[in-house]
Amino acid sequence: MKNIITSLSLLVLLANCPIVQAQSGKTQIDPTKFNNPIIKDQYTGDPAALVYKDKVYLYAGHDEAPKDFHFYKMNEWVVYSSSDMKKWESHPVPLKASDFTWAKGDAWASQVIERNGKFYWYVTVEHGSVHGKAIGIAVSDSPTGPFKDALGKALITNDMTKFTDISWDDIDPTVYIDTDGQAYLFWGNTACHYAKLKENMIELDGPIHHIKELPHFTEAPWIHKHKDWYYLSYAYEFPEKIAYAMSKSITGPWEFKGIMNEIAGNSNTNHQSIIDFKGQSYFIYHNGASIPDGGSFRRSVCVDKLYYNKDGTMKRVVMTSEGIQ
Ligand code: CA
């Protein structure tokens, strides 16, 4: 009788287990379990993930637009953490646009990077006195903050770049520290820019360059490296798909490789973050489809797995409701 009860208990346990191991040993997706979006308690957009030690820290802008408000209403950034890409822990708000006294709002896209035990957060905001968007830097001793303004002024203002006439071309920073220790900042809308950063991470180290090899570049550059290739992915056209280029050097030349992600559901923007974590590659993005009343200004962050081909190119992303299981 005891064995029967144990067997029954095991069957019940298996029936409730979201992951069913097939006979082949390959993990199968439970079609009744929807893990996307990963953030369900509020609207979030412009994800940027940081792998640090044995966790992933997910930074995003908080979409606060009411249902009848048809533009971005973003005053603060948020952070979540995970050890397995499935369960996400929320943390107190670590940074607000108002923490930059020289800015007048708009907590747009950002990215955090660690160097020598400090966490540097590169953010887009609207500048208070120089017309247009600007890039600021916050710093903390912890990946979950609190963060404070690292510079007391903007690192990049609109008047520093003239590759296009628009006032919102200096947005969407992405940072990368190359294997030789040199740090780079990439950013842009319409024009894609990059510059070296000094080791202190809060000053430019040389001129600002313009990358011309990215067809239909809209915004949202993201730099990552996988094996011996550098990848520069970006939002392509509008509404946005994600395309990418590859190079053997972080300074290019870049070779365009095509679209890697289609238009995300019910959102005119499409903002990617690409990481490797515990042996698996992930594509993190937002859409406007996944929770009630979502849309282009009420977005939600999602995660799906990313795979590479043998020649280093990336396979097309399959956006799913099931997400990571
Ligand atoms: Ca500019």
Side-chain angles (χ1 to χ4, degrees), residues 54-288:
D54 59 348
K55 283 192 171 182
V56 173
Y57 295 87
L58 174 71
Y59 304 87
H62 181 196
D63 270 341
E64 301 171 68
K67 195 178 173 184
D68 58 351
F69 186 84
H70 301 294
F71 198 63
Y72 303 106
K73 186 177 175 63
M74 306 179 77
N75 298 308
E76 62 189 18
W77 295 271
V78 295
V79 58
Y80 292 77
S81 61
S82 177
S83 299
D84 59 7
M85 300 298 286
K86 301 170 196 170
K87 295 186 295 292
W88 292 91
E89 180 186 352
S90 65
H91 301 277
V93 170
L95 186 65
K96 299 183 173 191
S98 59
D99 292 333
F100 299 95
T101 56
W102 48 268
K104 64 177 182 186
D106 290 349
W108 284 15
S110 69
Q111 186 181 349
V112 176
I113 195 167
E114 181 268 344
R115 182 161 210 167
N116 298 329
K118 288 192 179 294
F119 298 83
Y120 297 90
W121 197 339
Y122 298 79
V123 304
T124 308
V125 285
E126 180 75 16
H127 202 282
S129 57
V130 180
H131 178 62
K133 287 286 182 290
I135 294 173
I137 313 167
V139 66
S140 176
D141 294 327
S142 162
T144 54
F147 285 78
K148 63 180 183 189
D149 188 352
L151 199 54
K153 61 179 183 180
L155 176 70
I156 305 288
T157 49
N158 178 41
D159 55 354
M160 291 168 65
T161 59
K162 306 281 190 188
F163 302 108
T164 171
D165 291 335
I166 61 174
S167 64
W168 60 93
D169 62 315
D170 297 286
I171 67 169
D172 292 4
T174 177
V175 282
Y176 190 83
I177 300 171
D178 207 357
T179 43
D180 63 0
Q182 177 65 57
Y184 293 84
L185 178 73
F186 289 68
W187 72 99
N189 177 297
T190 308
C192 187
H193 317 102
Y194 81 91
K196 290 180 178 176
L197 290 169
K198 291 184 179 174
E199 191 168 356
N200 65 16
M201 301 300 279
I202 59 171
E203 290 178 273
L204 295 185
D205 189 9
I208 296 172
H209 303 274
H210 178 212
I211 305 172
K212 298 187 179 72
E213 310 101 289
L214 308 175
H216 301 280
F217 176 85
T218 302
E219 56 185 358
W222 177 268
I223 288 283
H224 78 279
K225 192 177 184 187
H226 184 81
K227 296 185 176 172
D228 57 348
W229 285 104
Y230 295 88
Y231 299 80
L232 175 45
S233 53
Y234 61 95
Y236 173 104
E237 291 186 332
F238 195 87
E240 296 173 350
K241 304 172 183 181
I242 301 300
Y244 74 104
M246 291 168 63
S247 177
K248 288 289 189 183
S249 164
I250 194 166
T251 56
W254 295 96
E255 185 175 344
F256 181 67
K257 293 293 181 182
I259 305 298
M260 65 178 298
N261 191 40
E262 302 295 339
I263 294 171
N266 201 30
S267 173
N268 55 23
T269 62
N270 189 336
H271 197 115
Q272 80 293 0
S273 173
I274 296 169
I275 58 167
D276 289 335
F277 181 59
K278 296 183 178 175
Q280 174 66 51
S281 299
Y282 294 96
F283 186 84
I284 306 167
Y285 59 100
H286 65 226
N287 65 23

